[in-house]
Amino acid sequence: MRTTEVRIPKYITIKNTLIDKIENGSYLPGDAIPSDNELMRTLGVSKSTITQALKNLEAEGYIIRRQGKGSFVIDRSKSQPVLSLYLCPMEQGEEHFWTSLIDEFNHSNQGFSVKATYLSNSKAPLRDSLLQSFASGNAPDILSLDGPDVAYWAYMDSLLPFDDYMDSSFLNSFLEPILLQGSYEGRLYHLGYTESTLCILYNKELFNHLQIRIPTNTEEAWNWDEFLSICHLIKEKTSLPYPLLMDSGRGLSPKSGEWNSYSGLPFILQNRGSFFNDELTRTNGFINSPASVNAMQWLGNLFHKYHYTHIENISYSFPDNFAMSLSLPSAYFQSLKNSENVGIIPLPKGLQAATPHGSWGLCMSRQTKKPNQCCQFIQYVFTIQNQLKISKYTGIPVLKEIYEIMDNFNTIPSNTSILFSQLHHSSFTRPQTPAYPFFSKQFAYAYYNIANGMDVQKEMNHLAELVDDHLYRHNYYQTVSPFTNQLT
């Protein structure tokens, strides 16, 4: 078993050293800790390192910094406990939602407060930030994770399951795919605060002008041949550079996070291909099977043979100058702020229908000392009022009751009905294996190469070889102690 070696930043080491001195009584409440210059001299580090360490100490409620006077130890026995929360907002405006929600919670006098730290995958990989936090014993109490990453962190014993802390009636209020996505080896570690799927956004005026058939439900979805014929019609009758925008015009990149896998894997299943064997220990013969390869060939042709879609970023075209876009539903709800000319069509289907689901959610850290307070805050996030607020950004709530209320009052919009129908009838959960982050990264490169015209069979064979070697080197992810080499 090989493990990831994590280099702990100096500021975290210094911060933890000062915490030890505070907790063992070397520094008492009210005491001034050594000045920045003295810490720099005795520890042999830079000013910026000391500043970062003290900022973290203050954020975690150990000290208060007074301009021109120094840093003083807080009497934590008299202060309100503070839960730390790591969030990685993905949608436009989502950070505003979380800031408002946390402020409202902190003003509700629950006996503790929550302090959020916002992380960005675009600045530093979330996984690297979390590895550093867990390895240094500095993990947050609560963290947000993308659904398919849950198995990895649960396997690393970094997460605390909800099962022993939350009432079954609360957990049963969630849509079934949310519970499925958040589970690993029979325990629930993750509650998605939003749900997602894949759809086609379309230009209403253009489709009406060209008299293109518009499916109104999943049963009427285009098949692959009809989809190709519609792309051909748009290319022939308009001056648009591409009939289909990829990811609302952002294109395709091997470094675009989970998009490549989220948007590519459904078409493999639609062609009755597969990813892994049932035991999730092998991909050779599955991800590179004839059915899987043929599906990827069909996708690749959209880019380099027919030129129906694109690799480069042309996001300026959306939503004002486009015909269709393969997108997440959130792109539709964001577009409504500026245009009413965008509609939703179900994802085209091949030999069978298959659509992805899953999105970001909340987990409890194994290192938290306040699991009951964590659960109290998480349950606050999932009140109906807060779910309705966040659905303005994503469009797909995760609580059964919301859909029941909307259905009883006949207030479900047709677009929401299409999305919910896909989730109910044709959604699949991405492979729940600790190997998935590696698999997804390698699939992203294979898809990108295929879109550029590389040989499909060779790319998929190489993908299978890399993933199977990864599985072998990690003992097929038998249960291990985190950050050690010992099997348990």
Side-chain angles (χ1 to χ4, degrees):
M1 169 73 186
R2 295 184 183 180
T3 56
T4 305
E5 292 186 7
V6 180
R7 181 177 175 273
I8 301 175
K10 288 183 180 179
Y11 79 87
I12 291 181
T13 302
I14 292 169
K15 185 205 69 171
N16 288 339
T17 298
L18 293 172
I19 288 176
D20 288 342
K21 289 187 176 183
I22 291 171
E23 292 185 341
N24 68 24
S26 297
Y27 299 139
L28 297 174
D31 285 353
I33 66 173
S35 68
D36 293 17
N37 289 334
E38 187 175 349
L39 289 172
M40 289 166 58
R41 180 178 57 80
T42 57
L43 299 174
V45 295
S46 67
K47 173 74 171 177
S48 62
T49 300
I50 295 299
T51 300
Q52 185 74 10
L54 296 180
K55 281 184 177 180
N56 275 256
L57 269 180
E58 185 176 35
E60 294 179 26
Y62 283 95
I63 64 170
I64 183 170
R65 305 178 76 197
R66 297 193 176 103
Q67 186 70 30
K69 295 183 178 180
S71 301
F72 299 86
V73 178
I74 291 176
D75 186 353
R76 288 167 63 85
S77 66
K78 298 179 181 179
S79 62
Q80 190 179 69
V82 179
L83 292 185
S84 56
L85 168 64
Y86 279 9
L87 285 167
C88 190
M90 299 301 292
E91 306 298 344
Q92 182 180 352
E94 191 183 332
E95 185 172 331
H96 173 75
F97 161 79
W98 284 110
T99 300
S100 175
L101 181 148
I102 291 167
D103 285 346
E104 289 174 3
F105 180 85
N106 289 342
H107 284 101
S108 63
N109 297 316
Q110 300 293 326
F112 65 96
S113 61
V114 175
K115 182 176 178 60
T117 298
Y118 295 102
L119 304 177
S120 173
N121 259 326
S122 62
K123 295 181 179 179
L126 176 63
R127 184 182 178 191
D128 291 351
S129 300
L130 291 177
L131 281 170
Q132 289 180 352
S133 297
F134 281 107
S136 65
N138 193 46
D141 296 288
I142 306 170
L143 61 149
S144 65
L145 284 178
D146 198 3
D149 293 338
V150 172
Y152 173 81
W153 292 104
Y155 160 80
M156 292 295 288
D157 200 28
S158 298
L159 306 179
L160 197 62
F162 291 124
D163 310 69
D164 299 330
Y165 297 94
M166 289 186 171
D167 188 85
S168 59
S169 61
F170 170 72
L171 297 179
N172 290 335
S173 68
F174 288 83
L175 299 175
E176 189 62 31
I178 292 293
L179 301 178
L180 181 61
Q181 169 193 246
S183 298
Y184 177 65
E185 294 191 341
R187 307 301 301 276
L188 181 66
Y189 294 94
H190 175 276
L191 287 172
Y193 46 73
T194 180
E195 184 57 290
S196 187
T197 185
L198 196 63
C199 59
I200 297 290
L201 307 185
Y202 73 99
N203 183 319
K204 293 180 179 179
E205 291 181 4
L206 179 63
F207 270 45
N208 288 333
H209 173 70
L210 296 178
Q211 297 183 328
I212 295 173
R213 183 178 76 85
I214 300 172
T216 58
N217 56 59
T218 53
E219 289 75 21
E220 296 176 358
W222 302 326
N223 60 36
W224 286 6
D225 288 338
E226 186 175 7
F227 174 72
L228 291 178
S229 67
I230 290 167
C231 286
H232 176 75
L233 176 66
I234 293 170
K235 194 171 182 67
E236 186 179 63
K237 298 292 185 180
T238 74
S239 60
L240 293 170
Y242 301 101
L244 177 71
L245 292 185
M246 179 59 56
D247 191 16
S248 304
R250 284 184 283 264
L252 202 65
S253 166
K255 298 181 180 180
S256 59
E258 182 64 9
W259 170 257
N260 289 20
S261 299
Y262 197 80
S263 63
L265 294 177
F267 294 94
I268 290 177
L269 291 185
Q270 286 192 13
N271 204 43
R272 298 202 174 104
S274 56
F275 317 134
F276 287 78
N277 62 352
D278 291 342
E279 295 75 26
L280 299 174
T281 57
R282 183 161 58 91
T283 60
N284 189 33
F286 299 90
I287 195 64
N288 58 343
S289 68
S292 299
V293 169
N294 289 340
M296 294 306 298
Q297 182 71 69
W298 185 84
L299 276 178
N301 287 343
L302 296 180
F303 292 88
H304 65 82
K305 181 178 179 180
Y306 303 126
H307 303 287
Y308 288 161
T309 192
H310 58 101
I311 293 172
E312 71 274 22
N313 188 333
I314 55 170
S315 53
Y316 58 83
S317 301
F318 182 84
D320 299 321
N321 191 32
F322 85 112
M324 294 187 291
S325 176
L326 185 67
S327 294
L328 299 174
S330 55
Y332 167 74
F333 292 99
Q334 292 297 328
S335 72
L336 289 181
K337 298 176 182 178
N338 303 310
S339 174
E340 295 182 355
N341 190 39
V342 181
I344 289 180
I345 293 174
L347 191 68
K349 57 187 176 184
L351 300 178
Q352 60 185 8
T355 53
H357 86 92
S359 193
W360 289 73
L362 297 178
C363 303
M364 280 196 297
S365 163
R366 176 70 69 175
Q367 293 181 14
T368 185
K369 297 178 181 178
K370 310 176 189 73
N372 291 319
Q373 288 95 329
C374 288
C375 290
Q376 186 177 336
F377 172 74
I378 290 171
Q379 288 176 303
Y380 179 83
V381 171
F382 290 104
T383 61
I384 290 181
Q385 293 85 349
N386 285 327
Q387 268 291 291
L388 289 173
K389 288 178 184 177
I390 197 171
S391 69
K392 293 179 181 178
Y393 302 103
T394 65
I396 310 181
V398 299
L399 300 178
K400 297 175 185 175
E401 187 175 355
I402 291 178
Y403 291 97
E404 291 168 359
I405 292 172
M406 295 170 73
D407 189 41
N408 288 339
F409 287 92
N410 297 313
T411 58
I412 298 181
S414 59
N415 291 314
T416 302
S417 179
I418 288 173
L419 299 174
F420 187 64
S421 180
Q422 283 195 167
L423 289 169
H424 186 69
H425 296 292
S426 61
S427 67
F428 68 92
T429 300
R430 284 161 283 178
Q432 293 173 287
T433 165
Y436 183 80
F438 182 85
F439 167 83
S440 179
K441 181 179 180 180
Q442 301 308 319
F443 179 86
Y445 281 101
Y447 186 6
Y448 179 77
N449 291 339
I450 290 167
N452 277 289
M454 302 293 284
D455 184 271
V456 181
Q457 186 69 64
K458 288 182 179 179
E459 289 297 321
M460 301 305 280
N461 286 345
H462 183 56
L463 168 62
E465 180 182 350
L466 289 173
V467 175
D468 285 2
D469 179 64
H470 174 85
L471 288 163
Y472 172 76
R473 288 186 292 108
H474 287 79
N475 281 332
Y476 305 100
Y477 286 98
Q478 300 176 55
T479 304
V480 300
S481 299
F483 307 108
T484 74
N485 292 319
Q486 297 181 346
L487 291 174
T488 58

